[in-house]
Amino acid sequence: MRALVSATISIAALRHNLAAIRRQASRSKIMAVVKANAYGHGLAAVAQALGEADAFAVARIEEGLVLRSAGITRPIVLLEGVFDCEQLAGAAQGRFDLVVHSAEQLDLLRAAPARARFTVWLKLDTGMNRLGFRPNRFEAARAALARLACVEQPVRLCTHMANADTPEHPGTLQQLALFERACAGLLGERSVANSAALFAFPQSQCDWVRPGLALFGVSPFGDKLGADLGLLPVMTLRTRIIALKTLEAGESVGYGSLWTARRRTRLAIAAVGYGDGYPRNVISNTQVLVAGRRAPLAGRVSMDMIGIDTTDVPDIQCGAEVVLWGEGLPVERVASCAGTVPYELLCGISQRVAVDLI
Ligand SMILES: *Cc1c(COP(=O)(O)O)cnc(C)c1O
């Protein structure tokens, strides 16, 4: 039985994107960021397809455990570290590498089980002001880690950029300079760059880059598409037409009757809605592809359905394929119609969407 709504995941595109990132950051190792179910693409399957990555990174320890259960043996970094003794023990057992960003996490490591040993990424807060030691606390944190038998030496060093997706923003160069200054003379491997930084600021690439979005073929920049960066879309979200009708001028469609036909209209109803993760707040005129042709939405997005004005698309039958985003229709464009970022759309596809690898 074929699912009505499916997200097909192209393994070939994933590998193409990994290779494109390797060319872009040819002197760096790649830590593939696969948090949030690999940005909605399927955690275990994506990591298996990206077996050539040098390491993986996740946000939560549960995500790391899924990767180990799936047979992933590469290093796995917990980007936010651990938050209690139980998680620290779990991290030792899962052989996870830890980001350490707070005094509380230093205390946890001081009380680590006797034989535990961790690769640690010490995080500097260079201006994101989310996680990380402030510059004036950084050296003390490093010295504290240097005294711990459970920590591999030298510790690795990392920070995170707040504005790399807006290359003209002066904050990125300031953050990079602050990181350089704080790390001067230290031996550990370094990591700074997310997808945006690794493309827009090659000087940020250092020993390890940490791409997430770019692996999935999507651009982090508001004024560029994945294709402009040499990337291929990995996820294509598809559904089918389940009803067709002809409306006379003046008849309206959907909840709130917000859309009214200005001419005789061939209206198609497709099986997808916000219950699948298609955004409800798209502006009118947002487009989909019906049998490969662009056509605008008509009326509000409901939980399970959308209306499409297919008057200008000839010969549409029930069962015709509709692409919501992916091949032929960049998710970046849909995100901009929804007033959000592609990250949110990708990782927001819901449980009832069938995820198929091809
Ligand atoms: C999510 C995340 C990344 C990946 O960011 P992209 O913009 O998807 O490339 C890198 N580093 C950290 C710390 C993150 O949280």
Side-chain angles (χ1 to χ4, degrees):
M1 193 178 57
R2 196 156 61 102
L4 269 178
V5 186
S6 68
T8 41
I9 307 301
S10 164
I11 291 176
L14 262 177
R15 294 196 173 136
H16 168 97
N17 297 334
L18 181 64
I21 291 166
R22 264 212 204 283
R23 277 195 302 280
Q24 189 68 30
S26 55
R27 290 184 305 276
S28 308
K29 288 182 269 192
I30 296 180
M31 187 188 295
V33 179
V34 291
K35 61 197 179 188
N37 196 28
Y39 293 48
H41 294 64
L43 177 51
V46 163
Q48 278 156 352
L50 293 178
E52 299 289 298
D54 301 290
F56 294 96
V58 293
R60 311 266 197 266
I61 192 166
E62 293 83 353
E63 296 173 319
L65 293 169
V66 167
L67 291 178
R68 287 288 182 243
S69 304
I72 299 296
T73 56
R74 296 270 157 135
I76 297 173
V77 180
L78 304 183
L79 289 171
E80 298 165 14
V82 289
F83 298 96
D84 56 41
C85 314
E86 213 182 327
Q87 290 194 354
L88 187 71
Q93 185 135 51
R95 288 167 291 110
F96 300 140
D97 298 348
L98 302 178
V99 166
V100 170
H101 58 75
S102 69
E104 292 78 3
Q105 291 182 327
L106 289 176
D107 290 339
L108 276 174
L109 281 172
R110 286 190 186 99
R115 289 187 323 281
R117 233 169 138 69
F118 297 100
T119 296
V120 165
W121 288 92
L122 176 61
K123 185 161 192 170
L124 176 69
D125 181 0
T126 50
M128 179 80 164
N129 293 333
R130 204 173 55 174
L131 300 183
F133 290 92
R134 297 271 187 172
N136 63 347
R137 298 283 162 86
F138 189 65
E139 175 48 32
R142 195 202 59 77
L145 288 170
R147 289 192 292 270
L148 291 179
C150 68
V151 173
E152 299 272 0
Q153 306 294 334
V155 291
R156 299 176 176 193
L157 308 158
C158 67
T159 190
H160 192 53
M161 297 291 107
N163 297 292
D165 58 345
T166 314
E168 62 281 10
H169 193 293
T172 305
L173 294 176
Q174 289 165 10
Q175 284 193 267
L176 287 172
L178 194 48
F179 185 69
E180 279 301 315
R181 219 176 312 139
C183 298
L186 300 179
L187 294 177
E189 293 181 9
R190 301 178 188 193
S191 177
V192 170
N194 57 3
S195 298
L198 84 88
F199 279 100
F201 297 90
Q203 70 270 41
S204 73
Q205 291 171 354
C206 5
D207 300 297
W208 289 83
V209 292
R210 305 192 304 268
L213 193 67
L215 286 170
F216 304 103
V218 178
S219 163
F221 307 107
D223 59 353
K224 285 196 174 70
L225 298 173
D228 300 326
L229 305 173
L231 306 172
L232 297 174
V234 173
M235 178 195 293
T236 300
L237 184 64
R238 292 188 171 83
T239 186
R240 282 181 272 162
I241 301 292
I242 57 169
L244 283 159
K245 59 193 58 181
T246 301
L247 302 183
E248 298 305 328
E251 291 190 287
S252 52
V253 178
Y255 288 117
S257 302
L258 280 197
W259 187 92
T260 302
R262 276 187 276 165
R263 55 176 178 176
R264 200 152 202 265
T265 295
R266 191 69 178 146
L267 179 78
I269 303 297
V272 72
Y274 59 81
D276 303 289
Y278 190 80
R280 180 173 178 279
N281 60 340
V282 285
I283 54 173
S284 64
N285 266 321
T286 298
Q287 292 188 320
V288 299
L289 291 181
V290 182
R293 308 267 305 266
R294 285 171 189 268
L297 296 186
R300 270 200 175 140
V301 173
S302 340
M303 187 182 291
D304 314 304
M305 283 175 271
I306 54 173
I308 307 166
D309 179 354
T310 56
T311 315
D312 298 326
V313 186
D315 301 329
I316 296 301
Q317 310 286 330
C318 269
E321 181 183 276
V322 179
V323 169
L324 289 321
W325 64 64
E327 260 175 74
L329 188 67
V331 68
E332 293 93 323
R333 293 230 192 280
V334 184
S336 113
C337 289
T340 186
V341 289
Y343 298 83
E344 187 180 11
L345 297 188
L346 294 173
C347 71
I349 62 163
S350 78
Q351 284 274 283
R352 74 176 179 188
V353 176
V355 179
D356 303 323
L357 268 72
I358 52 164

